[in-house]
């Protein structure tokens, strides 16, 4: 049983940094921030969940079945992530590449405390009868002092050296090999990714997240701390959302960098919108998503609500499509995730063949990268992002990592795909090199 309490703050933009700073005392923290985007029915401006009452941490084997049982038994808010390697639970696949992060494949928890921020109103949902605790926490939060930003502040104890797992020459060679698969007809498209990493990294995860979010300000920003495992994410992409009987998925395919010159920036937007390669990438993944949603949809309810919509973020322009379906109330929420995972925008088409080729050509186990983080409500609704534009950090291993990728099609130029990866890597590199 949860105690519900409404709190009104004079200024949410001042309250939120204090709330996140106060949360750092807990071992389990999920912070979801829309950065005030009114993006396709984002329910709250910001969500904070913390302090596990119960938890599920497991590898990929029977991962979705375990999650379904956990979601049904708790019948409550639960927050957590699905790593990309849960593909091995869905299909006969494996993940044998190098892993410097060692995140569990699946990790969810039932929080003792939840804060839901909408405008200047904060809904508090605490487990148990805890009126005195709520008052105490609010007083602590209001008392938190946020230091003024300084150009001299250090986010890491020493200068970080970012290394690449794949050289540019090897990247071009691997993309050429992927193109050979495409020309043979093995696949139509595949998302090929490369890792950048830092060894012996001693980071302040909160400060790195704040720097990354300041650079990008995306609609699905995330700060995650689960024991030693940290996710610092500037994701612009929703994987899937369920509200009532309606499900939507919003794949991103098509990227152009932002330019400071407004005329040149506008020209890049027009070029992206009219680029046949970028358009075809998006359409292929939309077809894959339509097929995935049809596995749980009522007959005839899968539809494309928007195709290749142009959206502008602080770092990039993107083409985003919206595909929707309706499901019967009897369909378990986790089944909708299982039948669509991993998301098409991070795999390719046909999905299984693309994942097999990805595993062969990539050098790093993806782990949480290109997986998903989100939450279930007590009514079985959910919302999950795509973990891209993100820094992953294991504080015990002192290993930090970010990966970037692009969609390879028959029209791909390996050199241009490499440049697209560097554009996507820019924010994470800046966030780490600002020290």
């Amino acid at each position: 049983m949860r105690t519900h309490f409404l709190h009104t703050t004079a200024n949410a933009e001042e309250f939120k940094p204090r709330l996140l700073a106060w949360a750092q005392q807990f071992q389990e923290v999920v912070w979801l921030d829309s950065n005030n985007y009114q993006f396709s029915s984002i329910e709250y401006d910001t969500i904070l969940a913390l302090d596990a009452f119960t938890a599920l941490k497991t590898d990929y084997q029977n991962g979705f079945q375990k999650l379904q049982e956990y979601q049904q038994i708790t019948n409550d808010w639960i927050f957590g992530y699905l790593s990309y390697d849960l593909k091995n639970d869905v299909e006969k696949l494996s993940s044998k590449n190098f892993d410097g992060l060692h995140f569990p494949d699946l990790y969810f928890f039932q929080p003792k405390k939840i804060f839901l921020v909408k405008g200047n109103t904060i809904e508090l949902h605490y487990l148990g009868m805890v009126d005195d605790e709520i008052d105490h926490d609010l007083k602590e939060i209001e008392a938190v002092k946020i230091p003024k930003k300084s150009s001299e502040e250090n986010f890491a104890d020493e200068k970080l050296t970012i290394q690449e797992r794949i050289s540019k020459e090897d990247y071009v060679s691997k993309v050429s090999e992927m193109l050979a698969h495409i020309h043979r007809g093995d696949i139509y498209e595949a998302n090929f990714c490369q890792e950048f990493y830092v060894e012996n990294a001693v980071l302040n995860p909160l400060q790195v997240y704040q720097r990354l979010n300041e650079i990008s300000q995306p609609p699905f920003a995330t700060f995650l701390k689960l024991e030693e495992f940290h996710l610092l994410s500037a994701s612009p992409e929703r994987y899937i959302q369920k509200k009532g009987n309606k499900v939507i998925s919003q794949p991103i395919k098509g990227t152009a960098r932002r330019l400071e010159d407004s005329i040149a920036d506008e020209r890049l937007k027009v070029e992206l919108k009219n680029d046949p390669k970028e358009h075809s990438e998006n359409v292929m993944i939309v077809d894959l998503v339509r097929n995935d949603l049809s596995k749980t949809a009522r007959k005839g309810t899968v539809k494309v609500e928007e195709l290749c919509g142009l959206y502008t973020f602080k770092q990039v322009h993107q083409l985003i499509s919206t595909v929707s379906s309706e499901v019967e109330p009897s369909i378990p929420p986790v089944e909708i995730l299982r039948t669509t995972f991993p998301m098409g925008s991070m795999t390719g088409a046909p999905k299984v063949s693309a994942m097999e080729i990805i595993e062969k050509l990539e050098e790093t186990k993806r782990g949480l990268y290109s997986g998903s983080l989100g939450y279930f409500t007590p009514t079985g609704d959910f919302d999950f992002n795509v973990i891209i534009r993100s820094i992953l950090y294991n504080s015990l291993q002192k290993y930090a990592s970010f990966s970037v990728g692009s969609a390879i099609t028959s029209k791909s130029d390996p050199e241009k795909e490499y440049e697209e990866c560097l554009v996507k890597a820019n924010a994470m590199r800046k966030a780490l090199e600002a020290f």
Side-chain angles (χ1 to χ4, degrees):
M1 178 180 175
R2 287 193 178 269
T3 297
H4 296 184
F5 182 85
L6 287 181
H7 173 72
T8 301
T9 181
N11 187 329
E13 294 310 305
E14 292 181 0
F15 180 83
K16 291 195 310 186
R18 292 199 294 269
L19 179 61
L20 181 55
W22 170 81
Q24 299 308 303
Q25 64 187 288
F26 298 96
Q27 284 294 305
E28 302 89 13
V29 179
V30 169
W31 171 266
L32 307 172
D33 192 354
S34 72
N35 283 297
N36 297 317
Y37 274 89
Q38 300 302 309
F39 187 83
S40 298
S41 67
I42 287 178
E43 192 74 15
Y44 297 98
D45 298 335
T46 304
I47 298 176
L48 172 66
L50 50 84
D51 198 10
F53 178 65
T54 65
L56 170 66
K57 179 168 63 172
T58 184
D59 62 17
Y60 70 84
Q61 293 180 323
N62 299 315
F64 282 103
Q65 180 183 330
K66 293 172 185 175
L67 178 59
Q68 182 170 312
E69 292 170 355
Y70 182 62
Q71 188 263 330
Q72 291 175 339
I73 289 170
T74 57
N75 195 33
D76 191 11
W77 292 86
I78 59 172
F79 291 75
Y81 69 74
L82 310 164
S83 81
Y84 173 80
D85 299 291
L86 283 168
K87 65 183 175 61
N88 306 334
D89 183 39
V90 179
E91 305 289 348
K92 292 182 178 179
L93 299 169
S94 62
S95 300
K96 297 179 180 177
N97 289 328
F98 171 79
D99 178 15
L101 288 159
H102 307 292
F103 278 53
D105 290 335
L106 182 151
Y107 200 149
F108 276 78
F109 73 99
Q110 178 187 15
K112 294 178 184 176
K113 306 179 184 187
I114 303 171
F115 296 75
L116 309 174
V117 182
K118 190 73 171 178
N120 288 333
T121 300
I122 297 95
E123 297 177 29
L124 293 87
H125 298 246
Y126 277 41
L127 278 176
M129 303 299 292
V130 288
D131 290 347
D132 290 344
E133 185 177 1
I134 290 174
D135 290 340
H136 176 267
D137 287 351
L138 286 171
K139 287 177 182 176
E140 280 195 347
I141 293 163
E142 294 290 355
V144 170
K145 303 295 184 185
I146 301 297
K148 291 183 179 179
K149 293 178 182 177
S150 166
S151 59
E152 301 297 321
E153 67 183 347
N154 291 319
F155 295 84
D157 290 348
E158 57 185 38
K159 186 71 175 178
L160 300 177
T161 301
I162 299 173
Q163 303 179 68
E164 57 185 24
R165 185 68 58 190
I166 301 175
S167 68
K168 181 179 180 180
E169 292 73 22
D170 286 345
Y171 176 91
V172 169
S173 174
K174 287 172 178 289
V175 171
S176 298
E177 189 173 344
M178 188 165 279
L179 283 168
H181 282 287
I182 292 172
H183 295 146
R184 280 201 302 269
D186 301 333
I187 51 174
Y188 305 112
E189 175 181 352
N191 190 283
F192 179 62
C193 301
Q194 57 178 316
E195 181 197 24
F196 297 85
Y197 64 97
V198 180
E199 295 176 315
N200 300 313
V202 180
L203 303 180
N204 181 319
L206 176 58
Q207 290 184 329
V208 176
Y209 164 76
Q210 289 170 329
R211 172 63 176 154
L212 180 62
N213 191 49
E214 181 182 285
I215 292 168
S216 300
Q217 296 180 7
F220 296 101
T222 303
F223 175 89
L224 166 77
K225 178 175 75 168
L226 295 173
E227 304 167 63
E228 68 267 32
F229 309 109
H230 297 80
L231 166 68
L232 321 170
S233 178
S235 174
E237 184 172 0
R238 170 182 277 132
Y239 158 39
I240 196 166
Q241 179 197 61
K242 177 181 176 290
K243 293 180 73 173
N245 291 337
K246 183 175 181 179
V247 175
I248 66 169
S249 183
Q250 295 182 294
I252 291 179
K253 276 289 167 251
T255 303
R257 70 187 188 279
R258 296 295 310 275
L259 297 176
E260 291 186 9
D261 182 277
S262 60
I263 296 175
D265 190 57
E266 191 65 30
R267 184 172 64 247
L268 277 184
K269 285 173 64 175
V270 173
E271 289 174 358
L272 175 61
K273 182 68 174 176
N274 297 321
D275 188 317
K277 173 190 174 291
E278 305 283 12
H279 195 273
S280 66
E281 284 181 17
N282 197 297
V283 169
M284 277 191 273
I285 297 307
V286 164
D287 284 343
L288 188 155
V289 171
R290 288 172 61 216
N291 179 68
D292 283 351
L293 290 183
S294 71
K295 296 171 185 175
T296 56
R298 289 173 175 163
K299 188 174 181 180
T301 65
V302 177
K303 58 185 177 183
V304 180
E305 296 190 0
E306 182 179 34
L307 184 64
C308 296
L310 182 63
Y311 291 80
T312 294
F313 303 99
K314 198 169 177 180
Q315 290 284 304
V316 292
H317 305 293
Q318 304 269 204
L319 296 181
I320 305 178
S321 294
T322 299
V323 188
S324 68
S325 68
E326 295 178 12
V327 296
E328 297 288 353
S330 59
I331 300 292
V334 173
E335 182 65 6
I336 301 169
L337 294 176
R338 189 188 69 80
T339 54
T340 56
F341 194 84
M343 63 291 300
S345 62
M346 296 307 298
T347 53
K351 186 186 278 189
V352 175
S353 297
M355 289 191 289
E356 290 173 340
I357 293 168
I358 286 167
E359 178 69 22
K360 182 178 71 171
L361 292 178
E362 291 181 355
E363 297 288 338
T364 307
K365 179 181 175 181
R366 288 193 182 180
L368 189 49
Y369 171 70
S370 74
S372 182
L373 182 141
Y375 62 90
F376 293 87
T377 72
T379 61
D381 287 349
F382 56 70
D383 205 358
F384 283 83
N385 69 5
V386 178
I387 298 175
I388 53 175
R389 322 290 162 83
S390 302
I391 296 167
L392 297 167
Y393 178 50
N394 185 318
S395 58
L396 288 184
Q397 300 291 330
K398 297 182 180 179
Y399 188 90
S401 167
F402 63 90
S403 294
V404 289
S406 67
I408 310 303
T409 70
S410 62
K411 298 178 181 178
S412 290
D413 177 330
E415 295 274 349
K416 290 182 179 178
E417 297 295 343
Y418 186 79
E419 292 303 316
E420 180 178 326
C421 287
L422 295 185
V423 169
K424 293 174 177 176
N426 189 47
M428 286 84 73
R429 186 179 289 278
K430 280 184 177 179
L432 288 170
E433 289 182 340
F435 314 140

